[in-house]
Each structure stands twice: as structure tokens, then as C-alpha cells.
């Protein structure tokens, strides 16, 4: 049984989904682990993780549109000192995921054919986000 | 420390929650692991996992009704080539879970009395869905 | 590789977020594990887990307000025998998390500076909630 842990720094563009599947798969390959589980943990409260369709980029636009409408910036939030996009970013994070785990088999993530791993930036401007990738197994 | 991994194929009915608790518990029993963690990972982007009330089936109907209203099929989605139910299915998956993990104690999932594990089909028609169950522990 | 599992009982106030970061960190310290993963699992279907901003308490009020509006108590739910707040509590749980996992490094949770772990009570009245904390690693 081995544990392999690495922190990745990922630059995002404002309000968009960045595909990070190859970066995560590269850490799994580095770990040398063949059978196990890969845990992803994002160290932020205004960006989140999502496993979603990796084929048609329109799916990502519809996701962004839906969440922008569901959590509007023009609502009267009590927490407003960090800008109109900050509280909506917290709520969008609450509605999606801060952590994910994906089993590993034969040294690869067991993702389905249409699944990609995304880091979703919920703020108006891009940031550098820290993602901890932890692979455990044998 | 042992790792035990198995892929289950589960047939679903359209837009409904299928209880899979016994199937998952059976894999935990097969693994022989007494203390550890069971990770569930669904290999799809238009169906999801949910741990919810297992007693009153009306809870499942209200869940389906709420999500059908929250993510309507008659919205103007950009991604529409796969039918009016496909983009809503992606959004409903984003709002719920692709992975879950449940600790194991004395060879059993530590679920609460009222908790059941469900596979939630978000498409109009049933599908065969692939669920990876990974049990690690000792 | 070691496994350390403990069940915490946590008293909540009605419809509010209780910060549990120190309680979880204490279990990690007790485990003696330096590198690994901490899994949290809440044994309930009307309360949930959330990793969110730990600095400005107004964020927690806005979260509660948003979810109260998104999942109103005055809707016509089929499941109503346990009170008007019960079905909304199930839906709010479905929209957030029953399980979370946080990697451990040098004996500490790798939380970001602004991240706190919260137990979110979705019922009108407080309850005693059971949280299973499982730490595995070396």
C-alpha cells in the first residue's frame, strides 16, 4: 500500500470550466499505483470540482448559464464586501463539489468514455487554484 | 490492507431512483474487509448517486418533482442534439453526486437507519449504467 | 497503513451551520496518521456536510437564505407527515453532501486558509447528529 500526494496549481479564466483530466492522470501515472483510489480536494470556497461531459463544449456553456441564472449576482446578499460575484461563487461551490474520488484500475482512472474532470471557476476573474491530488493503493 | 474492486451493471427505468444498497453491501461482504472505506463511482454524466431516505417512497417522488421543476426540459439549451432531456440530465448530475464514499465497520456499511443508496437515472428512458465499487481496508 | 475510525455525536441548532473543523482535526491527531485521507460520513438524510468560508459569518446567513428560498416549505410536497420542514430538508441534503474527504499531510487536514468544515442542520429544530470520521494512511 502506498500513498502519493501532490499539490497542483491551476490557472483559471473567469466563470469557466477548465478540463484537468490529463493533469490528474499524470499524477496517477507518477504514483506507480495500479489499483486504488484517487482523491481530489480543491482548497477553495469560490471554485469547485465537477465530473461532466467532455465531448460537446456547449454542455459547459449551458452549465454556466444555468448556474448564473440559478444564483444571480443582483440578489441582495448580506456578504457583499468582496464584490457582487463572491457570494454567488460560494453558493455555486456549495451546490457542486469540493472533493471527488475516482477509483484507479491498471494504473488509470476508471472514468467513463464521456467523463472529464473539470475545475469550475465561479469568480468573474481568473485565479490560481490549489488542487491536492492523493493517490492510494498498490 | 486490501483493495477489492468490482464493476456493477445496473439497469434503470427512466427518471427514477433505484435502490442499490443490497448490491453495494454484497460487494463489501465479498471483499472480506472489516474496517475501511467503500468508494462508489458512477461512470456517467446523465445519471448520479444519492444517499437518501429509504422508508417513505413519497420522498423519492418529491425529489424527482423538485428536480424536474428546477431544471426544466423546455428551457432553451444550446446543447439540444441529444434530445430535450439530455442537458437537464447533465445539470441534475452536476447538482448531485458522481462519487460517494461510505466507511465500513465490522464488515458492513455504516449507513444510518434511514439511509439508502440510490442510482438516479436522469434521462427519460432507462439505461444500463456502470458503477465501480472499490472497497479498501483490512 | 493504518485505519482509525470514530463516531462523533454533534448537537445542532435548527436550520444552521455548525463549524466542526476542530473536532475533525482532533480525530486526525488522535489517529497518529501523517499522510493519508480523512473521510467524513453523516448518517442522516435531513442534515448535510459542507466545506465553506470560515471567516465572515454573513456567508453562512446568505447560504441559509438562498437554500430556504430555493426549497420553500410552503410547496405542496407529497411527503408531509413529518412536518413542512422535513421534505425541504431531504432536498437540501440532496443538493449538498453526505460524505466528504480531505487529504492529510504532516498530520493535518490540507484545508485551504478560508475553508471550514460545517455540519448543516436542515430541520427547524436541533438534533443530535452522528458523524463517522475515518482516517487512513501511514
Amino acid at each position: 500500500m502506498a500513498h502519493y500526494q501532490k499539490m497542483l496549481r491551476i490557472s483559471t479564466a473567469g466563470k469557466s470550466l477548465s478540463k484537468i483530466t490529463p493533469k490528474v492522470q499524470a499524477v496517477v501515472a507518477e504514483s506507480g499505483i495500479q489499483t486504488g483510489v484517487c482523491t481530489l480536494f480543491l482548497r477553495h470556497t469560490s471554485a469547485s470540482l465537477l465530473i461532466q461531459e467532455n465531448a460537446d463544449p456547449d454542455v459547459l456553456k449551458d452549465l454556466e448559464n444555468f448556474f448564473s441564472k440559478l444564483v444571480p449576482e443582483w440578489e441582495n446578499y448580506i456578504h457583499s464586501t468582496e464584490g457582487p460575484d463572491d457570494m454567488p461563487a460560494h453558493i455555486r461551490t456549495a451546490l457542486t463539489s469540493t472533493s471527488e474520488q475516482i477509483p484507479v484500475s491498471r494504473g488509470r482512472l476508471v472514468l467513463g468514455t464521456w467523463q472529464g474532470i473539470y475545475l469550475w471557476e465561479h469568480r468573474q476573474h481568473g485565479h490560481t487554484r490549489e488542487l491536492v491530488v492523493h493517490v492510494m493503493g498498490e
Side-chain angles (χ1 to χ4, degrees), chain A:
Chain A
M1 174 74 179
H3 287 265
Y4 187 83
Q5 194 177 92
K6 191 167 189 177
M7 192 164 77
L8 303 179
R9 284 184 179 77
I10 295 163
S11 295
T12 64
K15 289 210 171 198
S16 66
L17 290 129
S18 305
K19 198 196 271 188
I20 57 171
T21 321
K23 288 186 168 105
V24 176
Q25 182 58 52
V27 177
V28 173
E30 269 172 46
S31 76
I33 287 166
Q34 293 299 302
T35 304
V37 171
C38 174
T39 297
L40 304 176
F41 183 80
L42 194 63
R43 303 181 74 217
H44 303 278
T45 61
S46 55
S48 61
L49 297 172
L50 192 69
I51 294 174
Q52 258 301 330
E53 148 107 26
N54 61 14
D56 180 0
D58 285 345
V59 168
L60 306 183
K61 289 179 204 160
D62 281 328
L63 280 166
E64 178 53 46
N65 289 344
F66 178 86
F67 277 77
S68 287
K69 275 174 71 175
L70 183 66
V71 195
E73 294 199 1
W74 53 85
E75 276 287 328
N76 275 324
Y77 299 108
I78 310 170
H79 173 81
S80 58
T81 48
E82 293 175 58
D85 62 323
D86 190 57
M87 192 59 223
H90 290 310
I91 295 171
R92 289 161 56 132
T93 299
L95 288 167
T96 49
S97 298
T98 296
S99 66
E100 280 289 351
Q101 68 275 346
I102 308 161
V104 171
S105 177
R106 299 181 193 182
R108 296 194 61 80
L109 300 162
V110 299
L111 292 166
T113 313
W114 308 107
Q115 287 183 313
I117 311 171
Y118 292 90
L119 195 168
W120 198 345
E121 176 61 65
H122 297 303
R123 299 297 307 267
Q124 283 285 8
H125 297 287
H127 286 75
T128 299
R129 301 300 195 171
E130 293 179 349
L131 176 73
V132 179
V133 183
H134 186 103
V135 194
M136 54 190 160
E138 54 195 14

